[in-house]
């Protein structure tokens, strides 16, 4: 190798440092329980400033150990249930290493990573019950998947001319249950549909009210709007609720709407045992599904997937082959299809390998068990909450989310203040991470369990810790 390259001058030294670092990293993963979220110290950004004298003189490996690795976000810990954050897996370490060494650009062309991505997409389509025509593309997460799926929906509604001409004066309208994740709103903003044209349909008994939906669609048609999109939620971010996806699919068929399912985490009940599996029944009728592997499939960030029932419809929204991206019959530029024709990104890394490694190492059944166990743990948390007479559940957990208030005897305002204080104190003392969400007028403690490291003992300890703080 020529010595003006940026490769290490001393490969032996690099090798030995990398081996030590790998050992250290695996130790940290193995001891996840000892490593809750750490308060970020004053001046960390300055410490990280590029090229400062200290950095140049210090041993980088020591800095990684002392200044970088300690300040993780905490979501690797078995008692982290805030927001909806995956825990990561040991296979991420080896998968990321292989991905780095290969440094594949998965936008297109003919190389192994694209075949692996297609294999993982294929598996996911089968798990979701989508037909042979289905295809998709790995993305950063459900937020990006949603934009891409809605783009395809808009092309179906307005024709592929919309790519050139823009939407013009047409008023497209979309429908989703109140409680839909903000990713839907953001995607409609980005596409120029406008979030005022997202109609939020009220819930009844935790599901989108179908009568109200039909009334809204009729009203919008009467006003000259063009309803084009129905968004179903499989696993709502606040309470883990599921729309009745069969009912939604019936309406979508009758009203000629694109049916998109936000299944960011909840789509994975497809792998769970009953009664959880059937929560997502009907997902196989979707025109598109957005889901994440980095939440309830536990793999490291980032790894989301946009799936479309008819891959050709996704392609119609994105395909573009300027001359510099011409495919060829043979050589590096062969290997159709190219992922750049199915989404926003041209250059893109190998996100599928983390999923592939975890499934090939552990087998699908291990995920069935872990996902089912997370649902049972949410139920278990609810049982623990019921043992404390001062506490109250927002509702019985439907899937993997448990929401409760620490002291229901207090005024609504005082409850909210107490719950927020408890959440913050438990985060700061390293005991457990709950986030909070508003249910009615009360901000409550919320655990979304997408954590393969959590045990029943962790659940018991965390609820007891809430009780102890509430009693203070
Ligand atoms: C997390 C989440 C999203 C957004 O997904 P990202 O991967 O964070 O972009 C959308 N919908 C639901 C229900 C979610 O939980």
């Amino acid at each position: 190798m020529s010595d003006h390259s940026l490769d290490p001058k001393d490969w032996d030294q690099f090798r030995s440092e990398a081996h030590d670092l790998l050992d250290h990293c695996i130790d940290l993963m193995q001891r996840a329980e000892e490593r809750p979220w750490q308060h970020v110290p004053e001046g960390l950004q300055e410490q990280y400033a590029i090229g400062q004298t200290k950095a140049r003189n210090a041993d980088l490996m020591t800095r990684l150990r002392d200044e970088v690795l300690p300040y993780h976000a905490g979501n690797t810990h078995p008692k982290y249930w805030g927001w909806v954050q995956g825990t990561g897996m040991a296979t991420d370490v080896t998968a990321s290493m292989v991905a780095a060494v290969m440094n594949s650009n998965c936008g297109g062309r003919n190389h192994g990573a694209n075949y692996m991505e297609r294999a993982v997409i294929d598996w996911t389509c089968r798990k979701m019950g989508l037909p042979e025509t289905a295809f998709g593309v790995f993305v950063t997460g459900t937020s990006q998947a949603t934009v891409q799926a809605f783009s395809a929906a808009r092309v179906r509604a307005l024709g592929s001319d919309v790519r050139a001409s823009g939407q013009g004066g047409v008023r497209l309208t979309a429908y989703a249950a109140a409680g839909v994740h903000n990713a839907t709103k953001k995607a409609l903003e980005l596409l120029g549909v406008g979030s005022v044209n997202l109609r939020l349909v009220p819930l009844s008994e935790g599901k989108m009210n179908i009568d109200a939906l039909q009334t809204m669609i009729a009203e919008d048609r009467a006003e000259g709007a063009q309803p084009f999109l129905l968004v179903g939620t499989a696993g709502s971010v606040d309470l883990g609720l599921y729309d009745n996806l069969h009912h939604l699919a019936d309406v979508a068929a009758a009203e000629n709407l694109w049916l998109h399912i936000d299944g960011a985490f909840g789509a994975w009940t497809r792998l769970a045992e009953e009664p959880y599996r059937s929560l997502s029944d009907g997902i196989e009728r979707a025109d598109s599904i957005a889901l994440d592997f980095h939440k309830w499939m536990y793999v490291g960030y980032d790894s989301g997937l946009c799936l479309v029932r008819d891959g050709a419809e996704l392609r119609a929204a994105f395909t573009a082959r300027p001359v510099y991206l011409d495919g060829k019959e043979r050589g590096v530029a062969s290997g159709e299809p190219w992922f750049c024709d199915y989404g926003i990104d041209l250059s893109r890394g190998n996100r599928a390998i983390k999923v592939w490694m975890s499934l090939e190492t552990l087998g699908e059944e291990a995920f069935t068990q872990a996902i089912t166990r997370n649902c049972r743990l949410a139920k278990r948390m609810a049982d623990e909450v019921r043992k404390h007479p001062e506490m109250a559940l927002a509702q019985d957990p439907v899937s993997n989310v448990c929401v409760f208030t620490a002291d229901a005897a207090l005024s609504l305002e005082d409850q909210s203040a107490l719950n927020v204080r408890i959440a913050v104190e438990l985060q700061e003392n390293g005991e457990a991470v709950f986030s909070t969400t508003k249910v009615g007028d009360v901000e409550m403690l919320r655990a979304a369990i997408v954590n393969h490291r959590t045990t029943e003992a962790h659940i018991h300890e965390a609820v007891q810790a809430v009780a102890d703080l509430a009693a203070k």
Side-chain angles (χ1 to χ4, degrees):
M1 210 58 73
S2 64
D3 59 10
H4 60 253
S5 84
L6 302 179
D7 283 331
K9 296 283 176 277
D10 183 343
W11 279 102
D12 288 336
Q13 184 195 350
F14 178 80
R15 182 187 305 275
S16 123
E17 284 176 351
H19 275 289
D20 289 349
L21 184 64
L22 179 62
D23 276 335
H24 180 65
C25 287
I26 292 171
D27 285 344
L28 294 179
M29 267 198 137
Q30 198 179 351
R31 301 200 319 259
E33 176 133 30
E34 297 162 27
R35 305 175 66 238
W37 175 75
Q38 298 298 309
H39 191 79
V40 176
E42 232 16 83
L44 192 62
Q45 187 173 334
E46 288 71 29
Q47 226 169 306
Y48 289 162
I50 300 297
Q52 53 145 331
T53 321
K54 176 167 164 275
R56 262 183 263 121
N57 296 334
D59 167 10
L60 188 58
M61 296 299 143
T62 308
R63 292 188 68 208
L64 289 173
R65 279 165 199 241
D66 299 346
E67 299 173 21
V68 178
L69 283 161
Y71 305 116
H72 62 117
N75 49 311
T76 52
H77 193 270
K79 283 196 261 181
Y80 190 105
W81 310 301
W83 303 276
V84 191
Q85 300 214 15
T87 37
M89 313 233 272
T91 42
D92 297 335
V93 178
T94 37
S96 302
M97 198 164 74
V98 173
V101 170
M102 294 177 78
N103 191 28
S104 310
N105 183 335
C106 299
R109 308 174 191 88
N110 200 352
H111 53 90
N114 292 336
Y115 293 85
M116 180 178 283
E117 181 163 343
R118 283 180 221 141
V120 177
I121 289 169
D122 202 49
W123 175 83
T124 313
C125 287
R126 278 187 279 118
K127 292 300 126 188
M128 295 298 140
L130 294 176
E132 288 287 307
T133 53
F135 196 52
V137 58
F138 269 77
V139 289
T140 47
T142 289
S143 301
Q144 190 184 339
T146 304
V147 173
Q148 297 189 177
F150 290 6
S151 274
R154 192 171 61 158
V155 165
R156 184 198 278 178
L158 299 180
S160 56
D161 283 354
V162 67
R163 289 181 61 179
S165 64
Q167 199 176 302
V170 183
R171 187 180 152 224
L172 294 175
T173 52
Y175 306 82
V180 71
H181 191 278
N182 195 65
T184 281
K185 183 168 170 229
K186 212 184 244 189
L188 292 169
E189 290 168 1
L190 273 167
L191 289 171
V193 171
S195 55
V196 292
N197 293 315
L198 172 63
R199 305 286 306 259
L200 292 178
V201 185
L203 299 180
S204 57
E205 288 169 19
K207 297 175 188 307
M208 186 191 295
N209 180 318
I210 299 296
D211 291 339
L213 166 66
Q214 282 171 323
T215 306
M216 283 179 175
I217 294 170
E219 280 171 4
D220 290 340
R221 284 202 205 282
E223 282 177 16
Q226 184 178 336
F228 84 117
L229 172 67
L230 175 57
V231 180
T233 295
S236 70
V237 67
D238 49 357
L239 291 165
L241 305 177
Y242 285 71
D243 286 329
N244 184 322
L245 304 182
H246 276 302
H247 289 173
L248 265 54
D250 291 342
V251 174
E255 297 281 352
N256 196 22
L257 305 178
W258 179 286
L259 177 62
H260 172 80
I261 306 297
D262 179 346
F265 65 95
W268 294 110
T269 55
R270 281 288 89 186
L271 298 188
E273 289 173 5
E274 295 296 359
Y276 305 108
R277 183 178 198 273
S278 40
L279 288 169
S280 48
D281 279 358
I283 200 168
E284 68 280 1
R285 295 171 67 188
D287 290 299
S288 57
I289 304 171
L291 53 80
D292 287 322
F293 291 92
H294 57 221
K295 289 178 174 172
W296 217 0
M297 283 295 280
Y298 313 105
V299 305
Y301 290 99
D302 47 35
S303 186
L305 188 58
C306 171
L307 290 178
V308 174
R309 169 177 218 83
D310 180 356
E313 290 199 290
L314 187 57
R315 189 182 171 91
F318 290 102
T319 187
R321 286 296 184 87
V323 67
Y324 48 85
L325 292 178
D326 238 2
K328 297 288 184 278
E329 289 286 310
R330 291 165 45 205
V332 177
S334 58
E336 290 289 335
W338 289 16
F339 285 108
C340 63
D341 285 320
Y342 293 85
I344 299 166
D345 296 326
L346 174 56
S347 297
R348 43 199 300 286
N350 183 352
R351 295 193 175 98
I353 192 169
K354 288 175 287 191
V355 180
W356 185 82
M357 286 274 292
S358 66
L359 281 166
E360 287 293 284
T361 303
L362 297 166
E364 194 181 305
E365 177 61 19
F367 290 88
T368 293
Q369 294 308 319
I371 292 165
T372 306
R373 196 160 52 237
N374 284 168
C375 293
R376 291 186 184 140
L377 287 169
K379 247 180 136 153
R380 175 62 196 263
M381 185 177 282
D383 291 340
E384 294 287 330
V385 166
R386 282 195 199 90
K387 289 182 193 161
H388 296 271
E390 73 285 3
M391 295 185 183
L393 292 164
Q395 66 160 74
D396 283 336
V398 167
S399 51
N400 60 327
V401 180
C402 181
V403 178
F404 63 100
T405 183
D407 191 345
L410 300 176
S411 73
L412 304 183
E413 251 170 56
D414 289 349
Q415 280 185 60
S416 298
L418 177 67
N419 290 330
V420 170
R421 187 155 50 79
I422 289 173
V424 171
E425 279 194 33
L426 293 178
Q427 289 165 15
E428 292 194 330
N429 71 20
E431 178 62 41
V433 174
F434 292 89
S435 55
T436 59
T437 192
K438 229 166 174 179
V439 179
D441 290 323
V442 184
E443 196 158 344
M444 295 196 182
L445 293 160
R446 169 180 164 285
I449 308 176
V450 289
N451 191 325
H452 62 87
R453 300 191 175 109
T454 305
T455 64
E456 295 202 348
H458 294 128
I459 299 285
H460 172 78
E461 290 161 15
V463 176
Q464 189 56 49
V466 170
D468 292 347
L469 281 179
K472 263 207 223 158

